[in-house]
Amino acid sequence: CLITRNAEQEIEQVLRSVADLGAEVIVVDTGSTDGTVQAAKKLGAKVTVIRWDDDFSQAQNQALAVATGDWILWLNPDEELLPGQREKLDGLLGRPGALAYLIRVQEVMQIGHPEQAMETLAPRLFRRHRDMKYIGRLHPSFRVPLEELARRENKGLFSVDLLVRHHAYLSVVSEDKLRWATRLLELELRDRPGQLHYLIEYGRNLLRLNDPNGHVVLAQASEQLLAHWNEPTAPTATVASLLEYLLTVSAQQSHSRLSPSQVREIALRWFPTSPPLLWTMAQQAFQSESFQEAHHISPRGAHA
């Protein structure tokens, strides 16, 4: 399953990457004005055209509603299932005790440099189930958490070596795309206020657009961190971005109740191998002539 919009240049790559699976291919198009729909049909996909309503989860749920297979493999139009995955996939689908799999997704940062990629695990392969629905206007997640559904169904969640490459090119995000994503984040926070992950991304995007309201939004996110102060792990991975922000702006800008020493403490506890955070802290320690502290931090960064 995948959703598309004006993906004529990418659609052939993603659909050809799954052509040898012999699977039903569902494409939900959200209003393309190029040849995406025609190209998808030509390559054998079952295409449904819907009206875009500023909601990725709505479009993704449309795709799930059309699907008839026992399992769903979710892809994006700028992705591809890498060669040599067919045998792995066959084995995974035959595992009766599995509800879903976290698969490897390589995020390629720069055009022409697939070796420059960061890798994440994402729940992209899962059983088709009436309760397996998405929620969220941007970066949708499952409405019922997979862990909860797995317990209910007495099945497992597993991390596996199935590899998808995402040609995201995050280093070349345009201002127009940034404004579009920021608008969806604003709508998501209006629908479901207070979500820490979205607050952080929304605030950071506003600052990238030179909107000082970003400081106000990140102050709200910073306030939420206080409720998680004693926890051993961060409530969401995007907290690393918030901590980097708190380390590099003045207290007058951030309006945060967290002191610099508290921010450093929590950064080292939650993200002890994060190169951006370690570099920032080591650099600040060196500039303040706290050479022993800088020396203590910097080997962590070198190791990371």
Side-chain angles (χ1 to χ4, degrees), residues 42-288:
K42 185 177 179 180
L43 290 165
K46 185 187 298 185
V47 181
T48 299
V49 178
I50 67 169
R51 182 177 67 87
W52 173 245
D53 195 28
D54 288 335
D55 191 332
F56 272 98
S57 65
Q58 181 187 71
Q60 291 183 209
N61 288 334
Q62 290 275 358
L64 298 183
V66 174
T68 62
D70 294 329
W71 285 85
I72 303 291
L73 173 62
W74 190 272
L75 295 173
N76 292 315
D78 54 356
E79 294 180 337
E80 59 179 322
L81 182 68
L82 292 189
Q85 310 295 304
R86 173 67 186 268
E87 289 186 4
K88 296 179 186 177
L89 191 59
D90 287 345
L92 297 175
L93 301 188
R95 193 171 180 177
L99 174 73
Y101 295 103
L102 302 174
I103 70 173
R104 296 165 56 200
V105 180
Q106 287 183 349
E107 304 275 358
V108 181
M109 306 298 290
Q110 294 187 6
I111 297 173
H113 294 278
E115 75 284 357
Q116 297 180 13
M118 63 179 184
E119 193 169 294
T120 59
L121 289 172
R124 299 289 201 88
L125 181 63
F126 50 90
R127 290 184 185 274
R128 188 167 62 89
H129 189 284
R130 64 183 181 278
D131 291 332
M132 202 77 85
K133 304 293 183 185
Y134 289 105
I135 188 171
R137 290 180 179 266
L138 189 66
H139 315 315
S141 57
F142 288 105
R143 186 181 297 272
V144 179
L146 285 178
E147 295 81 3
E148 178 182 331
L149 190 55
R151 285 194 299 270
R152 188 192 308 169
E153 297 292 321
N154 196 28
K155 294 188 181 297
L157 308 176
F158 303 96
S159 298
V160 294
D161 188 28
L162 191 70
L163 188 58
V164 165
R165 180 168 291 162
H166 184 194
H167 300 277
Y169 310 136
L170 299 177
S171 61
V172 292
V173 175
S174 68
E175 182 175 325
D176 285 346
K177 188 171 183 179
L178 186 62
R179 291 188 181 280
W180 170 81
T182 303
R183 181 172 59 83
L184 292 188
L185 288 167
E186 185 175 358
L187 291 172
E188 173 65 21
L189 288 166
R190 183 199 66 186
D191 294 345
R192 287 170 286 278
Q195 299 177 82
L196 182 57
H197 170 86
Y198 289 107
L199 275 175
I200 295 171
E201 185 174 357
Y202 180 47
R204 295 290 274 177
N205 280 8
L206 288 175
L207 293 182
R208 291 171 67 186
L209 293 168
N210 297 315
D211 186 335
N213 284 325
H215 294 296
V216 178
V217 174
L218 292 177
Q220 298 174 34
S222 175
E223 196 68 17
Q224 285 196 29
L225 287 189
L226 296 173
H228 301 277
W229 177 256
N230 293 318
E231 295 177 8
T233 58
T236 173
T238 50
V239 167
S241 174
L242 175 61
L243 295 174
E244 185 180 0
Y245 159 82
L246 292 173
L247 286 168
T248 53
V249 302
S250 68
Q252 290 74 25
Q253 282 182 308
S254 70
H255 306 290
S256 173
R257 289 197 289 155
L258 290 169
S259 69
S261 62
Q262 287 176 313
V263 174
R264 288 193 294 271
E265 178 187 338
I266 204 168
L268 289 171
R269 187 198 323 155
W270 285 349
F271 304 100
T273 61
S274 168
L277 285 172
L278 292 170
W279 169 254
T280 299
M281 289 186 288
Q283 186 180 45
Q284 289 176 345
F286 186 85
Q287 289 173 346
S288 65

Side-chain angles (χ1 to χ4, degrees), residues 10-23:
E10 298 89 5
I11 195 71
E12 182 173 353
Q13 177 174 258
V14 62
L15 294 188
R16 289 199 183 282
S17 78
V18 296
D20 69 337
L21 300 182

